[in-house]
Amino acid sequence: MRGVRRVAAPIAVLLAVGLAACTPALPETVVPDTQITVGWTGAFTSANAAASPAPGNVDIAETIRGDFGDLVDGEFVADEGFGSVTIVSDDPFTVRYDLAEPVWSDDIPLDAADLLLGWAGAAGYFDAEDADGDDASADAEPVETAVPALDEFARAIEVTYPQPIIGWQQAVTAPVPAHVVGHRAFGTDDPMEAKQAVIRAIQDGDDDALAKIAAVWNDDFEVGKDGKLAADLLLSSGPFRVDSISDDGDGQSVALVPNPSYRGLVTPKVARIELVPAGDLPEAEVGERLNVAQVAPTTANREIIRQLEREDFTVDTRHDGTLWALMLDPTGIFTEPQARAAFLRAIPATALTERGSGVWATAYTGTTSMLSAPGSRAYDIVNEDSGFTAALGTPADDAALERESAGIAAGSSVCVLYDTGSEFATGAFVALGEVAAEAGWSIADCGSADFEAALAAGAWDAVIARVPVPQTPEQILDQWGGHGSASITGSTDPERDALVAQYAQTTDVYEARDLLAQIESTIVRAAVALPIAMNPRATIIDRSVTGIAPRTGVAAPLTYGVSQWEVVP
């Protein structure tokens, strides 16, 4: 908590708290005795995904937490049933987060206390200690952060940021119930008093009180080794709630049932969802033990899945948020940009995709961007404005002559690293060797079964790698910034860093797309990466189920939109 300096702001609070006399009935949309069983590879380890954002926790949070909206194909989609987010001042940059009328599953309303608690968590007030027992934020530069103002009805907060931020619509959430945190931190039984105690601790910057809240925030919501979690820690503000957590030795199972108190725009239709271990061959069990499963497309499972398609099972293939790319080390043989451009222009991405994808050719979508994904509106702008097609995406009239003009002798060897355990990378490498030879390049097989170790060792000239499509300015800098911790090529550009800084403070979606294209153009000019194709994920859906629309990307790709799921009569 030492990485944050707190500036108190006056607040007026009226906490709306009501206890229902009886348990609400299930939504009328729920069809009794219906169940959908999902083959799941996640693990539910914490009911506070803000403190522990592991994939399994994010999957569950998508079903049991309401929020102001979600990113879908790179665009923010608001959930007006939860509330609204509005910029109320440009200078200073101030955003109002205004709740509609959501309630927790114990019928305690969500209000400003819940939003303030979520804001404080995101601001670093409750950062956990690292493995050495030191404050994880101790070395961070203190950030002067004004405590948000709460409106008189305590259903909204207004946050004044030091500067505009691109992620303003999702910067505040309500990941855990403030009245539960207040009760556990301070022993306060009355929900109103518990909420007020949380507010006072944050407003006053009371380190002792904040330490107690931090202990609850980081530890109490963790699922025990026995799979147990107290009922108050499993309260839900989303369409479903956790009914049970179990482990039969083959893996963890989580049962979800409709939340009777949910007041969202779309209420659940199915009476129970069972997330169960996927097993070794989930595609073979859809229609029997499972109704839904997500798998990586491989040669081994293509025939099974093709047969399911012939029997009218739905097979939905969308990208998983990562892309395949051919990336260069801008040293050695590729020190000069002309040499890098000559090599990349000699390699048609379609040839690598065709050989790498094999029997799953239709599942791989080609791409021309390292920073955006096909299907998003941002991609259309980036693809048009980055200059990739002219600079690197159009084959040279004479690839051998272009190589010679770059000062590279015929037969020059290029050590290419790839993951020998990956079907796509192995196939793409074979194609790379063939097309590069036509232009006079000699490809050396530097493939490795321990890809990450070989990548870190750096004894390669080019690499066929699968990398995440960055979703935030921070992730762009990690991959492409001057000090990027996840940089593969080591390419740096002060102009790129400046553009990312500008992008991070852009609140207009159209301006943001234009800036993203400019950032992409700096990568194109560096000639260090050839985007190949998006990596697919296949969702197999039983004929007895409808309404499932998997989301692209990493975050909750299957459980997004779970309220729409239903069993076919």
Side-chain angles (χ1 to χ4, degrees):
M1 287 173 283
R2 282 171 282 173
V4 178
R5 184 186 307 149
R6 307 169 196 92
V7 181
I11 62 174
V13 182
L14 176 62
L15 293 170
V17 177
L19 291 171
C22 59
T23 302
L26 288 176
E28 294 181 357
T29 52
V30 176
V31 179
D33 302 321
T34 53
Q35 176 175 312
I36 295 175
T37 303
V38 181
W40 190 51
T41 57
F44 183 39
T45 62
S46 174
N48 184 0
S52 180
N57 296 335
V58 175
D59 284 345
I60 300 299
E62 189 64 36
T63 71
I64 67 172
R65 292 289 181 265
D67 55 36
F68 289 105
D70 288 283
L71 283 181
V72 180
D73 291 330
E75 300 289 333
F76 180 76
V77 178
D79 181 355
E80 296 178 356
F82 186 80
S84 61
V85 184
T86 310
I87 297 173
V88 294
S89 171
D90 291 320
D91 188 13
F93 185 68
T94 305
V95 180
R96 180 180 177 86
Y97 300 88
D98 200 342
L99 291 166
E101 295 184 352
V103 298
W104 294 102
S105 50
D106 62 354
D107 291 317
I108 301 299
L110 275 81
D111 56 27
D114 299 286
L115 296 178
L116 185 65
L117 178 64
W119 169 85
Y125 277 54
F126 316 132
D127 284 351
E129 293 182 344
D130 61 26
D132 297 323
D134 298 322
D135 190 322
S137 62
D139 296 329
E141 190 71 23
V143 177
E144 187 165 311
T145 306
V147 174
L150 282 67
D151 80 356
E152 61 182 359
F153 298 107
R155 299 283 284 186
I157 66 173
E158 291 189 359
V159 181
T160 298
Y161 296 94
Q163 64 276 321
I165 59 171
I166 191 171
W168 57 277
Q169 291 162 304
Q170 291 187 294
V172 172
T173 61
V176 292
H179 65 288
V180 170
V181 172
H183 165 69
R184 286 177 167 264
F186 308 116
T188 307
D189 291 328
D190 182 85
M192 177 184 291
E193 293 180 4
K195 285 173 178 277
Q196 289 176 328
V198 169
I199 290 173
R200 283 195 301 271
I202 297 171
Q203 180 193 16
D204 297 342
D206 184 334
D207 283 337
D208 289 339
L210 289 172
K212 293 178 180 179
I213 293 175
V216 177
W217 175 274
N218 291 306
D219 301 330
D220 284 27
F221 291 90
E222 292 186 356
V223 178
K225 293 182 179 179
D226 58 358
K228 303 295 184 182
L229 200 60
D232 62 327
L233 299 172
L234 286 173
L235 291 180
S236 170
S237 61
F240 285 82
R241 63 177 180 82
V242 174
D243 186 56
S244 66
I245 307 168
S246 60
D247 192 328
D248 61 3
D250 293 327
Q252 187 188 62
S253 295
V254 179
L256 304 168
V257 295
N259 173 10
S261 300
Y262 182 62
R263 299 180 181 179
L265 299 179
V266 181
T267 52
K269 299 175 176 62
V270 64
R272 190 176 185 86
I273 295 175
E274 291 273 358
L275 304 179
V276 302
D280 295 331
L281 200 63
E283 58 269 29
E285 298 193 76
V286 176
E288 297 179 3
R289 182 176 69 92
L290 306 175
N291 299 116
V292 187
Q294 285 189 328
V295 300
T298 65
T299 300
N301 63 26
R302 182 65 189 105
E303 185 55 35
I304 295 174
I305 295 175
R306 189 184 72 85
Q307 188 59 39
L308 290 172
E309 289 180 296
R310 288 169 60 89
E311 297 174 6
D312 293 335
F313 285 68
T314 297
V315 177
D316 186 307
T317 54
R318 308 189 186 206
H319 72 78
D320 66 358
T322 65
L323 69 96
W324 287 98
L326 175 63
M327 308 177 78
L328 308 182
D329 177 3
T331 62
I333 192 172
F334 291 130
T335 298
E336 297 301 323
Q338 295 91 334
R340 300 195 295 270
F343 182 74
L344 294 179
R345 280 165 58 86
I347 312 299
T350 52
L352 275 59
T353 302
E354 182 178 350
R355 187 67 67 87
S357 59
V359 295
W360 281 99
T362 58
Y364 285 80
T365 301
T367 180
T368 62
S369 172
M370 299 299 299
L371 303 181
S372 60
S376 67
R377 296 174 183 174
Y379 177 83
D380 295 337
I381 301 300
V382 170
N383 181 49
E384 182 177 342
D385 293 355
S386 70
F388 172 83
T389 300
L392 302 175
T394 303
D397 293 334
D398 189 330
L401 179 60
E402 186 171 12
R403 171 188 47 73
E404 292 175 1
S405 298
I408 305 298
S412 294
S413 179
V414 178
C415 169
V416 178
L417 170 65
Y418 64 97
D419 183 354
T420 57
S422 163
E423 287 186 359
F424 184 91
T426 301
F429 172 78
V430 173
L432 173 62
E434 294 172 353
V435 296
E438 296 175 5
W441 300 88
S442 177
I443 301 300
D445 188 339
C446 294
S448 174
D450 190 351
F451 177 76
E452 294 299 332
L455 183 67
W460 48 268
D461 300 311
V463 58
I464 299 171
R466 183 162 68 96
V467 296
V469 177
Q471 299 297 307
T472 66
E474 294 77 16
Q475 291 173 3
I476 295 175
L477 288 176
D478 277 347
Q479 291 188 33
W480 296 103
H483 303 284
S485 60
S487 175
I488 289 180
T489 67
S491 170
T492 62
D493 185 338
E495 179 188 354
R496 185 185 307 147
D497 290 350
L499 285 169
V500 175
Q502 185 179 350
Y503 176 70
Q505 296 185 25
T506 301
T507 60
D508 180 86
V509 64
Y510 304 107
E511 183 181 350
R513 293 171 190 166
D514 290 339
L515 281 168
L516 194 63
Q518 293 179 49
I519 298 168
E520 184 88 47
S521 69
T522 68
I523 299 173
V524 172
R525 289 198 300 271
V528 291
L530 178 73
I532 301 173
M534 302 302 298
N535 192 65
R537 175 176 51 223
T539 304
I540 309 166
I541 306 168
D542 190 2
R543 294 185 300 261
S544 65
V545 176
T546 188
I548 297 179
R551 178 166 55 175
T552 59
V554 176
L558 181 56
T559 56
Y560 170 75
V562 72
S563 291
Q564 304 279 6
W565 294 12
E566 58 184 311
V567 173
V568 176

